[in-house]
mmCIF file of all heavy atoms in Angstrom:
data_model
loop_
_atom_site.group_PDB
_atom_site.id
_atom_site.type_symbol
_atom_site.label_atom_id
_atom_site.label_comp_id
_atom_site.label_asym_id
_atom_site.label_seq_id
_atom_site.Cartn_x
_atom_site.Cartn_y
_atom_site.Cartn_z
ATOM 1 N N CYS D 178 18.494 -5.450 -3.829
ATOM 2 C CA CYS D 178 18.104 -6.575 -4.709
ATOM 3 C C CYS D 178 19.328 -7.515 -4.968
ATOM 4 O O CYS D 178 19.255 -8.722 -4.895
ATOM 5 C CB CYS D 178 17.529 -6.077 -6.027
ATOM 6 S SG CYS D 178 17.137 -7.402 -7.210
ATOM 7 N N VAL D 179 20.459 -6.817 -5.314
ATOM 8 C CA VAL D 179 21.685 -7.589 -5.629
ATOM 9 C C VAL D 179 22.158 -8.421 -4.427
ATOM 10 O O VAL D 179 22.660 -9.539 -4.588
ATOM 11 C CB VAL D 179 22.730 -6.593 -6.049
ATOM 12 C CG1 VAL D 179 24.161 -7.244 -6.090
ATOM 13 C CG2 VAL D 179 22.460 -6.024 -7.420
ATOM 14 N N ARG D 180 21.949 -7.947 -3.188
ATOM 15 C CA ARG D 180 22.452 -8.624 -2.048
ATOM 16 C C ARG D 180 21.474 -9.653 -1.373
ATOM 17 O O ARG D 180 21.718 -10.130 -0.324
ATOM 18 C CB ARG D 180 22.866 -7.562 -0.935
ATOM 19 C CG ARG D 180 24.116 -6.770 -1.398
ATOM 20 C CD ARG D 180 24.316 -5.623 -0.419
ATOM 21 N NE ARG D 180 25.475 -4.776 -0.790
ATOM 22 C CZ ARG D 180 25.726 -3.603 -0.422
ATOM 23 N NH1 ARG D 180 24.822 -2.939 0.367
ATOM 24 N NH2 ARG D 180 26.847 -2.905 -0.794
ATOM 25 N N LEU D 181 20.325 -9.816 -1.996
ATOM 26 C CA LEU D 181 19.374 -10.778 -1.500
ATOM 27 C C LEU D 181 19.970 -12.133 -1.311
ATOM 28 O O LEU D 181 20.703 -12.639 -2.178
ATOM 29 C CB LEU D 181 18.103 -10.944 -2.368
ATOM 30 C CG LEU D 181 17.044 -9.842 -2.293
ATOM 31 C CD1 LEU D 181 15.968 -10.133 -3.339
ATOM 32 C CD2 LEU D 181 16.463 -9.819 -0.868
ATOM 33 N N ARG D 182 19.662 -12.801 -0.208
ATOM 34 C CA ARG D 182 20.104 -14.169 0.014
ATOM 35 C C ARG D 182 18.887 -15.107 0.072
ATOM 36 O O ARG D 182 17.761 -14.694 0.275
ATOM 37 C CB ARG D 182 20.838 -14.221 1.350
ATOM 38 C CG ARG D 182 22.136 -13.271 1.341
ATOM 39 C CD ARG D 182 22.937 -13.447 2.658
ATOM 40 N NE ARG D 182 23.940 -12.422 2.770
ATOM 41 C CZ ARG D 182 25.276 -12.708 2.807
ATOM 42 N NH1 ARG D 182 25.725 -13.841 2.578
ATOM 43 N NH2 ARG D 182 26.145 -11.680 2.953
ATOM 44 N N VAL D 183 19.178 -16.381 -0.066
ATOM 45 C CA VAL D 183 18.111 -17.395 -0.135
ATOM 46 C C VAL D 183 17.155 -17.293 1.027
ATOM 47 O O VAL D 183 15.942 -17.399 0.887
ATOM 48 C CB VAL D 183 18.670 -18.768 -0.246
ATOM 49 C CG1 VAL D 183 17.592 -19.850 -0.230
ATOM 50 C CG2 VAL D 183 19.559 -18.876 -1.556
ATOM 51 N N LYS D 184 17.705 -17.111 2.230
ATOM 52 C CA LYS D 184 16.881 -17.087 3.427
ATOM 53 C C LYS D 184 15.971 -15.863 3.532
ATOM 54 O O LYS D 184 15.052 -15.823 4.368
ATOM 55 C CB LYS D 184 17.799 -17.071 4.716
ATOM 56 C CG LYS D 184 18.658 -15.801 4.796
ATOM 57 C CD LYS D 184 19.572 -15.885 5.990
ATOM 58 C CE LYS D 184 20.366 -14.589 6.177
ATOM 59 N NZ LYS D 184 19.511 -13.396 6.320
ATOM 60 N N ASP D 185 16.124 -14.834 2.702
ATOM 61 C CA ASP D 185 15.403 -13.621 2.780
ATOM 62 C C ASP D 185 14.112 -13.702 2.028
ATOM 63 O O ASP D 185 13.218 -12.728 2.157
ATOM 64 C CB ASP D 185 16.225 -12.421 2.192
ATOM 65 C CG ASP D 185 17.448 -12.178 2.997
ATOM 66 O OD1 ASP D 185 17.499 -12.438 4.233
ATOM 67 O OD2 ASP D 185 18.457 -11.698 2.379
ATOM 68 N N VAL D 186 13.813 -14.798 1.309
ATOM 69 C CA VAL D 186 12.594 -14.943 0.543
ATOM 70 C C VAL D 186 11.711 -15.896 1.193
ATOM 71 O O VAL D 186 12.111 -17.039 1.424
ATOM 72 C CB VAL D 186 12.901 -15.341 -0.934
ATOM 73 C CG1 VAL D 186 11.603 -15.528 -1.720
ATOM 74 C CG2 VAL D 186 13.791 -14.374 -1.675
ATOM 75 N N ASP D 187 10.478 -15.488 1.458
ATOM 76 C CA ASP D 187 9.527 -16.358 2.160
ATOM 77 C C ASP D 187 8.374 -16.661 1.179
ATOM 78 O O ASP D 187 7.492 -15.755 0.995
ATOM 79 C CB ASP D 187 8.994 -15.757 3.458
ATOM 80 C CG ASP D 187 8.126 -16.651 4.305
ATOM 81 O OD1 ASP D 187 7.597 -17.665 3.701
ATOM 82 O OD2 ASP D 187 8.027 -16.430 5.481
ATOM 83 N N PHE D 188 8.364 -17.797 0.517
ATOM 84 C CA PHE D 188 7.335 -18.098 -0.441
ATOM 85 C C PHE D 188 5.969 -18.366 0.229
ATOM 86 O O PHE D 188 4.876 -18.129 -0.306
ATOM 87 C CB PHE D 188 7.677 -19.265 -1.265
ATOM 88 C CG PHE D 188 8.874 -19.056 -2.180
ATOM 89 C CD1 PHE D 188 10.191 -19.379 -1.927
ATOM 90 C CD2 PHE D 188 8.595 -18.380 -3.440
ATOM 91 C CE1 PHE D 188 11.196 -19.140 -2.806
ATOM 92 C CE2 PHE D 188 9.599 -18.168 -4.286
ATOM 93 C CZ PHE D 188 10.940 -18.490 -4.016
ATOM 94 N N GLU D 189 5.942 -18.808 1.453
ATOM 95 C CA GLU D 189 4.755 -19.130 2.174
ATOM 96 C C GLU D 189 3.986 -17.872 2.526
ATOM 97 O O GLU D 189 2.728 -17.860 2.346
ATOM 98 C CB GLU D 189 5.017 -19.925 3.443
ATOM 99 C CG GLU D 189 5.642 -21.306 3.189
ATOM 100 C CD GLU D 189 4.690 -22.199 2.502
ATOM 101 O OE1 GLU D 189 3.534 -22.100 2.639
ATOM 102 O OE2 GLU D 189 5.191 -23.046 1.668
ATOM 103 N N CYS D 190 4.647 -16.859 2.925
ATOM 104 C CA CYS D 190 3.996 -15.598 3.298
ATOM 105 C C CYS D 190 4.034 -14.598 2.183
ATOM 106 O O CYS D 190 3.512 -13.486 2.399
ATOM 107 C CB CYS D 190 4.761 -14.966 4.526
ATOM 108 S SG CYS D 190 4.610 -16.037 5.994
ATOM 109 N N ASN D 191 4.669 -14.937 1.070
ATOM 110 C CA ASN D 191 4.714 -13.969 -0.052
ATOM 111 C C ASN D 191 5.368 -12.659 0.331
ATOM 112 O O ASN D 191 4.804 -11.573 0.065
ATOM 113 C CB ASN D 191 3.364 -13.690 -0.720
ATOM 114 C CG ASN D 191 2.904 -14.853 -1.636
ATOM 115 O OD1 ASN D 191 3.681 -15.664 -2.062
ATOM 116 N ND2 ASN D 191 1.583 -14.972 -1.823
ATOM 117 N N GLU D 192 6.504 -12.717 0.990
ATOM 118 C CA GLU D 192 7.202 -11.518 1.379
ATOM 119 C C GLU D 192 8.726 -11.711 1.264
ATOM 120 O O GLU D 192 9.201 -12.829 1.222
ATOM 121 C CB GLU D 192 6.848 -11.079 2.769
ATOM 122 C CG GLU D 192 7.333 -12.029 3.820
ATOM 123 C CD GLU D 192 6.926 -11.580 5.275
ATOM 124 O OE1 GLU D 192 6.030 -10.720 5.369
ATOM 125 O OE2 GLU D 192 7.518 -12.052 6.238
ATOM 126 N N ILE D 193 9.406 -10.556 1.202
ATOM 127 C CA ILE D 193 10.863 -10.525 1.112
ATOM 128 C C ILE D 193 11.289 -9.719 2.295
ATOM 129 O O ILE D 193 10.803 -8.589 2.560
ATOM 130 C CB ILE D 193 11.344 -9.916 -0.167
ATOM 131 C CG1 ILE D 193 10.955 -10.803 -1.350
ATOM 132 C CG2 ILE D 193 12.812 -9.699 -0.183
ATOM 133 C CD1 ILE D 193 11.306 -10.273 -2.753
ATOM 134 N N VAL D 194 12.344 -10.191 3.019
ATOM 135 C CA VAL D 194 12.905 -9.401 4.111
ATOM 136 C C VAL D 194 14.189 -8.708 3.570
ATOM 137 O O VAL D 194 15.100 -9.424 3.123
ATOM 138 C CB VAL D 194 13.302 -10.338 5.284
ATOM 139 C CG1 VAL D 194 13.964 -9.463 6.393
ATOM 140 C CG2 VAL D 194 12.064 -11.053 5.811
#
Side-chain angles (χ1 to χ4, degrees):
C178 177
V179 167
R180 292 170 178 161
L181 275 180
R182 301 186 191 244
V183 174
K184 65 181 182 61
D185 298 330
V186 178
D187 189 339
F188 289 101
E189 295 296 327
C190 297
N191 282 339
E192 68 179 16
I193 295 176
V194 180

